[in-house]
Amino acid sequence: MAQIRLDKFISERTEYTRSRIKQLAASGDIKVGGKVIKKSDTKIDPENDSVEVCGEIIGKDKHRYILLNKPRDYVCSTNDNDGKNVLELVPPELRTKGLFPAGRLDKDSLGALLITDDGELAHRMLSPKSHIPKIYIVQLARPFEDKYVDIFKNELQLSNGETCMPANVKSVENSEYQAFIELYEGKYHQVKRMFAAVGNHVDVLMRLSLGSLVLPEKLAIGECMELLHKDVENLFAEREFNAFLSSFSGFFSANLINI
């Protein structure tokens, strides 16, 4: 692979500016292959050279993909004026320039949210042509009714006249107030509006999956993890609704009412 400048490599993968990288190099805080490099315009092999800045190894991938278990009261925005921002939850070692939430969860909703600096992937992911299924678990104010299954499969009409694409819904085993729902679109407050249309109310909403990318149980609310490229491709892999439910351990269901 063609060599590139050290400062370009670092600036594309971190929040450091070119001027700051030059300062760090001059002070001996940058190493390539374990050796201190004092000139930031030094050419390196981005595939094979190990780059270290202030003791932190810089990953080779140009783009970063982060899965956040979003807590309540944080907005999916890049604007600090909108209130507490999901980007605040990304630890310093995972931050790069241009990070943004790919897709949205309401301020009071929880669960799987992808944060990235890859605009092309986000466009592909959010395009209506992709039809990436998203599975949620909800805590309802009133008991789940079996009639919801057929109503949701038949293009439910919302209160404002909008029609929803067919959606899968199923009650959570041993919990009459909880349900799973799978959507292939993302209208404003859609899950809440769908249950409101059948006379129920969503008290808690948590997203469990995006495509075949599933929120790990070990990822606590408010925590995030970096994804590998093979994990990111799971966004576009098919996963059958009932197959997902059969592998669901019940961890999130048991904890949902206490969130």
Side-chain angles (χ1 to χ4, degrees):
M1 185 173 181
Q3 293 191 327
I4 65 171
R5 285 174 52 130
L6 177 61
D7 52 4
K8 176 177 171 63
F9 176 89
I10 296 172
S11 67
E12 286 179 342
R13 293 160 177 80
T14 69
E15 291 188 303
Y16 293 118
T17 62
R18 295 281 186 104
S19 59
R20 179 58 179 152
I21 293 166
K22 186 175 182 179
Q23 293 171 353
L24 290 170
S27 60
D29 290 317
I30 297 179
K31 293 180 181 179
V32 176
K35 295 180 180 180
V36 173
I37 301 296
K38 293 208 168 188
K39 291 187 175 181
S40 62
D41 60 354
T42 300
K43 294 291 185 68
I44 67 163
D45 180 343
E47 287 295 323
N48 298 308
D49 286 337
S50 172
V51 178
E52 205 175 315
V53 179
C54 299
E56 294 283 341
I57 298 292
I58 306 301
K60 292 180 170 57
D61 293 331
K62 183 174 179 179
H63 292 297
R64 180 150 278 169
Y65 308 97
I66 299 165
L67 181 64
L68 169 70
N69 187 350
K70 179 192 171 297
R72 275 176 161 165
D73 299 325
Y74 281 80
V75 294
C76 295
S77 172
T78 57
N79 189 338
D80 293 336
N81 296 325
D82 291 337
K84 289 194 295 184
N85 185 307
V86 290
L87 298 181
E88 298 173 23
L89 299 169
V90 178
E93 64 271 17
L94 292 182
R95 291 179 188 165
T96 61
K97 289 190 286 289
L99 283 178
F100 63 93
R104 292 182 177 275
L105 277 173
D106 300 335
K107 184 177 180 179
D108 61 348
S109 298
L110 310 100
L113 178 70
L114 181 69
I115 294 175
T116 185
D117 56 0
D118 188 344
E120 186 176 334
L121 177 126
H123 177 75
R124 179 184 168 201
M125 172 184 163
L126 300 174
S127 169
K129 295 179 181 178
S130 295
H131 291 305
I132 293 176
K134 297 173 283 289
I135 297 177
Y136 303 80
I137 185 171
V138 295
Q139 180 77 32
L140 299 170
R142 288 174 281 282
F144 181 90
E145 298 183 39
D146 291 339
K147 67 179 182 180
Y148 297 167
V149 175
D150 289 331
I151 294 174
F152 280 35
K153 276 186 179 178
N154 287 290
E155 299 186 343
L156 171 71
Q157 190 173 69
L158 303 176
S159 59
N160 67 346
E162 281 187 277
T163 299
C164 298
M165 290 175 60
N168 291 312
V169 66
K170 187 173 183 179
S171 62
V172 173
E173 190 174 352
N174 300 321
S175 178
E176 61 178 335
Y177 287 90
Q178 291 183 353
F180 298 106
I181 179 170
E182 179 185 49
L183 302 181
Y184 284 83
E185 58 183 342
K187 298 182 189 297
Y188 179 71
H189 288 174
Q190 183 169 346
V191 175
K192 297 173 184 176
R193 293 163 70 199
M194 289 177 78
F195 279 102
V198 294
N200 213 320
H201 176 79
V202 174
D203 288 332
V204 183
L205 182 149
M206 185 175 203
R207 186 157 65 197
L208 301 177
S209 70
L210 296 159
S212 286
L213 181 63
V214 179
L215 185 69
E217 292 179 4
K218 66 180 181 181
L219 194 64
I221 293 172
E223 290 186 351
C224 58
M225 60 184 283
E226 187 168 14
L227 299 174
L228 302 175
H229 277 265
K230 64 181 180 68
D231 299 320
V232 174
E233 282 306 310
N234 282 331
L235 286 167
F236 306 99
E238 288 288 334
R239 174 173 288 219
E240 205 273 328
F241 183 58
N242 288 320
F244 172 87
L245 300 189
S246 66
S247 64
F248 187 78
S249 71
F251 172 83
F252 292 112
S253 173
N255 289 280
L256 193 67
I257 196 168
N258 299 315
I259 293 173

